[in-house]
Amino acid sequence: MARPWLRNPYLRLLSLLSITLFLSPTGHGGAQEAGESPTLAFVGARLLTMDGPEIDNGVLLVREGRILRVGAAGTVEVPAEAQVYDFSGQVILPGLVDTHSHIGGGGGGDSSAPIQPGVRVLDSINVRDSDLRRARAGGITTVNVMPGSGHLISGQTVYLKLRQGTTIENLLIRDAEGRPTGGLKMANGTNSRKDPPFPGTRGKSAALVREAYIAAQEYQDKVRRYADDPAKLPARDLGLEALGEVLDGKRMVHHHTHRHDDILTVLRLQKEFGFRVVLHHLSEGWKVAEDIAAAGVPCSIIVVDSPGGKLEAREAGFETGAILERAGVSVAFHTDDLITDSRFFLRSAALAVRAGMSRDGALRALTREPAAMLDLGERLGSLAAGKDADFVVLSGDPLSVYTKVLQTWIEGDKVFDRAVPEDALIADGGLGAGNPSSATLHDGCLAEEVVR
Amino acid sequence: MRASLILLRAPGLALLTLGLLVGSISPLAFAQGASSPEEASSHQQGSSHQQGSSHQPDSSHQPDSSHSVAVRGEIVYPVAGPAIVDGVVIVTDGKITAIGTSEEISIPADMKVLQAAVVTPGLVDAHTVVGLAGYLNTHHDQDQLERSEALQPELRALDAYDARAPLVDWVRSFGVTTLHTGHGPGAVVSGQTLVAKTRGETVEQSVFVPAAMVAATLGDAAKGPDQKPPGTRSKVVALLRQAFLEAQAYSTKQKHAPEDKRPGRNLRHEAMLQILAGERPLLITAHRHQDIASALRLQEEFGFRLVLDGAADAHLLLPEIKGAGVPVLLHPSLARPSGERENLSMTTAAKLHEAGIAFAFQSGYESYVPKTRVVLFEAAVAAAYGLGFEAALEAVTLSPARILGVDGRIGSLEIGKDGDLALYDGDPFEYTSHCVGVVIEGEVVSESPR
């Protein structure tokens, strides 16, 4: 893959130097011929695989960006030529998956209409924003970047790997056909209620959504019926196409919803149109946990430090995760960054445990469960052979306030390293750390990566 | 579980808790005359509960009139001294009367006993807007900022504080027993602040320093809304200087002008004069280094007591702040690094501590979500980012008490101080620990874990 950041002449020079070293007769030999990536071995750490019991002194083998093998020391042979990273005394967790984030300053639909499914957030994201660096510093490796909640349908979301890169293309997660993956952002309740043409009531909100999906059904019908009749084939409509993907189950709906009755309205619409949906935020999810469980719909929740802000969030609390878990609902957390700071994503799980959620459930809610909610469960969410080598190295227990994220790895590349001063600045804060463009000022891990 | 999510006060539940104290009623507590305003306040609290009980005629429970309790901890942090393993604190009639190891202290047989892994002084939130800024982002629930004029030091927090605000209960449930709250940042001078205990149902029952400081702001946040003046940093400072000078001229006229030419009372000038007279500090919210420097410059010019607030760039001006001898109410550790706060660091608390600058933690002001932060968590993060446990605990107890000038009453567990305690089932700063009890002046105000 092209590395656009090599446009930087300094880095390009470093890169050429490293390639020269790599090819020289005195460089590494054996399996590490040019074009073949070395095997990486991460040893000594406690592995929280999210795929079975914890492994106290584990071995994680990585090659070509994928996990080759995972197991206890002694059961997994470390190849002689492997690059070994000793993380003794530390903890490795699968890379955190954030189902709902606004990093990169992107947006969706404008104020012209309440339903804009044709708009893509991927066309608006600044991947150089220091937000992304803070997310890496928090151990987040995959995000669902969402447009806002001020519309019934504000646009298409995009799933990103937080790889080092200077264009959105470097970060996309593509499907088997090479298309960018993402969902559709919907919202109900108070955020999307405004002056016309936006809805003024909850009833109107639901009516507009029903009309939109019925229009999409009719559009799909015509496209299928007149596939061989160009005269009658309707003109392409990007919005209806996106809604069609939702109706076909190919595009997940990510639905902002807070109040208990709004949550039930989503379930009602979901039943009518048969789309696949993840419920987001759920301030009052605890009131209708049994209904959500019966519908088999997964939930991605936010944990904030106090209730309120708006009326529909006045009964939000730390207990939502525990109550949904007990009801048998699949639960994930999200940052909703900028609402909570991506550097403290682990804290969301810890506060949910404080309020009664199981430790295992809370850790799965940062990894496995959100991966499944993005239809990426096959590739992400646990440390298992064949999955992407996305993981985070922690100084201690993931739920302790005293624990620091030491390193973040994506597909076998280190994207954050607390030992690098530029990365530590982002992790801790300090002069220049919050500047949105600081990613262009300090390349941190990127510089180290190229040198390596 | 569901009941615990209901944030609004449940007097019935409170009475139920109080009912557990039946055995320890001391009728003498009400017979005693109040010999100080503080005692008067605590007695008012007691009588309000008596009235409360009359609404439950079928209840056999009696109110807690003794305000006495023994608190036992596997480890007790008095903050004023070394930690006590297997410690006991005795609170009698609202005040701490004994503290020591369980071997040294005998607990009276009829006294209610609370027990926890860790016992600390009740936490002090050094600066918040809870009680003025409600939990809804609607105009009717937000009283922390009046934007009709740039400088309104005469606005009293006392006239707006809602002792029953749900967020008061929320922060108390994590161990916060004292709030320094009032008018927030966002105007050159937004108004006064107060200090209140997180209990009581009226402002009079809660407040114990009715006018603590006057809140001012420098920098972008002080600029007027909708193109209204002041429009620049310099203008903000010029307005403040002008206000001090006008107050001084007013004072001169009041003192020296012939009686028929003396000006009528001017509340605004009076409030500025109180600052100049050192009756209360000027709390200046300033994040950028140049705004912090402006605050120090103003303080030098007019000689008022200055308390720096927010101070995201404080780590860039440690010698200057230290040299001025000015305390800092530091921004929340978890505040977002954007705008004027883009340089903030979670290590600033550690740096202030190392530099020997007096500082304390605050929950601050949040314009959107969360509606308030919890000062316990702000201290916790700083503890983890270089400050350490004991210094962080001090910066959320004794240090804010000192900066607020109330360390004679609160902030540490010492004989004679108010019986304000927080109980935890583990390290208070750990996310997964719980606050399992809160005691204010001997009254057990919360026993449900959070």
Side-chain angles (χ1 to χ4, degrees), chain B residues 337-355:
Chain B
S338 57
E340 292 192 294
R341 297 187 302 199
E342 70 177 23
N343 298 325
L344 68 76
S345 168
M346 289 176 276
T347 63
T348 302
K351 287 175 182 160
L352 291 170
H353 179 65
E354 199 178 320

Side-chain angles (χ1 to χ4, degrees), chain B residues 207-225:
Chain B
V207 172
F208 71 102
V209 182
M213 301 188 194
V214 170
T217 306
L218 299 183
D220 291 327
K223 293 176 184 171

Side-chain angles (χ1 to χ4, degrees), chain A residues 52-64:
Chain A
E54 299 182 9
I55 302 171
D56 236 0
N57 175 14
V59 174
L60 176 69
L61 295 185
V62 170
R63 193 161 174 187
E64 305 264 335

Side-chain angles (χ1 to χ4, degrees), chain A residues 163-182:
Chain A
R163 302 176 192 110
Q164 297 285 8
T166 50
T167 69
I168 189 81
E169 278 73 21
N170 298 147
L171 277 64
L172 293 173
I173 299 173
R174 296 181 184 275
D175 65 14
E177 283 84 48
R179 290 174 306 197
T181 53

Side-chain angles (χ1 to χ4, degrees), chain A residues 131 134 149 191 286-290 302 304-312 314-320 322-323 326 337-344 346-347 349-351 353-356 399-404 418 426-436, chain B residues 1-7 134-138 167 170 173-174 289 313 315-316 333-339 341-347 368-374 376-378 380-381 383-386 388-389 424 427-435 449-450:
Chain A
D131 288 353
R134 278 191 288 280
S149 54
N191 284 20
W286 57 274
K287 291 183 179 175
V288 287
E290 299 298 335
I302 186 166
V304 291
D305 283 33
S306 60
K310 49 192 171 185
L311 204 55
E312 58 190 8
R314 76 189 193 280
E315 292 185 80
F318 297 168
E319 292 88 349
T320 307
I323 295 171
R326 251 173 262 142
D337 197 337
L338 303 166
I339 299 297
T340 72
D341 190 323
S342 292
R343 291 175 296 180
F344 288 91
L346 287 166
R347 178 177 185 266
L351 292 178
V353 170
R354 183 189 191 108
L399 302 183
S400 171
V401 69
Y402 301 106
T403 293
K404 300 285 196 311
R418 209 179 149 74
I426 289 292
D428 294 351
L431 184 59
N435 189 314
Chain B
M1 181 58 67
R2 289 188 178 195
S4 72
L5 281 160
I6 307 302
L7 296 164
Y135 73 160
L136 296 179
N137 287 328
T138 52
L167 290 179
W170 177 259
S173 69
F174 294 95
H289 56 91
D313 283 357
H315 55 88
L316 302 174
S333 308
L334 289 160
R336 302 312 313 272
S338 57
R341 297 187 302 199
E342 70 177 23
N343 298 325
L344 68 76
S345 168
M346 289 176 276
T347 63
Y368 185 50
V369 171
K371 272 322 290 173
T372 185
R373 296 188 180 278
V374 178
L376 170 69
F377 296 136
E378 308 308 327
V381 168
Y385 281 77
F389 177 86
Y424 300 92
D427 177 348
F429 293 147
E430 275 293 12
Y431 296 137
T432 48
S433 296
H434 304 88
C435 178
R450 174 166 274 152

Side-chain angles (χ1 to χ4, degrees), chain B residues 189-422:
Chain B
V189 178
S190 61
Q192 300 169 17
T193 62
L194 55 76
V195 180
K197 294 285 178 79
T198 52
R199 67 154 192 185
E201 289 169 357
T202 67
V203 66
E204 280 74 18
Q205 287 167 7
S206 306
V207 172
F208 71 102
V209 182
M213 301 188 194
V214 170
T217 306
L218 299 183
D220 291 327
K223 293 176 184 171
D226 310 322
Q227 307 290 317
K228 281 205 301 197
T232 64
R233 293 187 138 70
S234 299
K235 182 75 172 194
V236 169
V237 175
L239 285 178
L240 253 181
R241 297 182 68 226
Q242 188 66 34
F244 278 126
L245 295 173
E246 284 172 7
Q248 285 171 333
Y250 166 81
S251 172
T252 305
K253 271 191 196 165
Q254 283 231 316
K255 281 180 193 149
H256 304 296
E259 202 166 333
D260 59 328
K261 293 197 173 155
R262 280 181 202 163
R265 274 190 72 186
N266 181 310
L267 296 177
R268 191 163 297 179
H269 293 328
E270 281 181 13
M272 295 308 282
L273 284 171
Q274 286 162 357
I275 296 166
L276 290 173
E279 284 175 37
R280 65 187 56 98
L282 187 64
L283 174 79
I284 299 187
T285 303
H287 285 297
R288 295 278 193 200
H289 56 91
Q290 68 267 42
D291 299 323
I292 295 173
S294 294
L296 298 178
R297 197 179 310 118
L298 278 166
Q299 191 270 336
E300 202 174 359
E301 181 179 356
F302 291 99
F304 55 82
R305 288 159 63 202
L306 169 64
V307 175
L308 274 176
D309 177 68
D313 283 357
H315 55 88
L316 302 174
L317 288 172
L318 295 171
E320 289 81 0
I321 296 168
K322 169 81 172 166
V326 167
V328 177
L329 306 183
L330 186 63
H331 61 78
S333 308
L334 289 160
R336 302 312 313 272
S338 57
E340 292 192 294
R341 297 187 302 199
E342 70 177 23
N343 298 325
L344 68 76
S345 168
M346 289 176 276
T347 63
T348 302
K351 287 175 182 160
L352 291 170
H353 179 65
E354 199 178 320
I357 296 168
F359 75 99
F361 291 111
Q362 60 166 310
S363 60
Y365 165 65
E366 294 293 336
S367 60
Y368 185 50
V369 171
K371 272 322 290 173
T372 185
R373 296 188 180 278
V374 178
V375 76
L376 170 69
F377 296 136
E378 308 308 327
V381 168
Y385 281 77
L387 184 60
F389 177 86
E390 298 212 351
L393 183 62
E394 181 168 348
V396 75
T397 52
L398 189 54
S399 177
R402 285 191 183 123
I403 295 170
L404 296 171
V406 292
D407 54 311
R409 249 189 87 170
I410 61 163
S412 59
L413 303 179
E414 292 178 87
I415 291 172
K417 284 198 177 183
D418 288 2
D420 296 356
L421 299 96

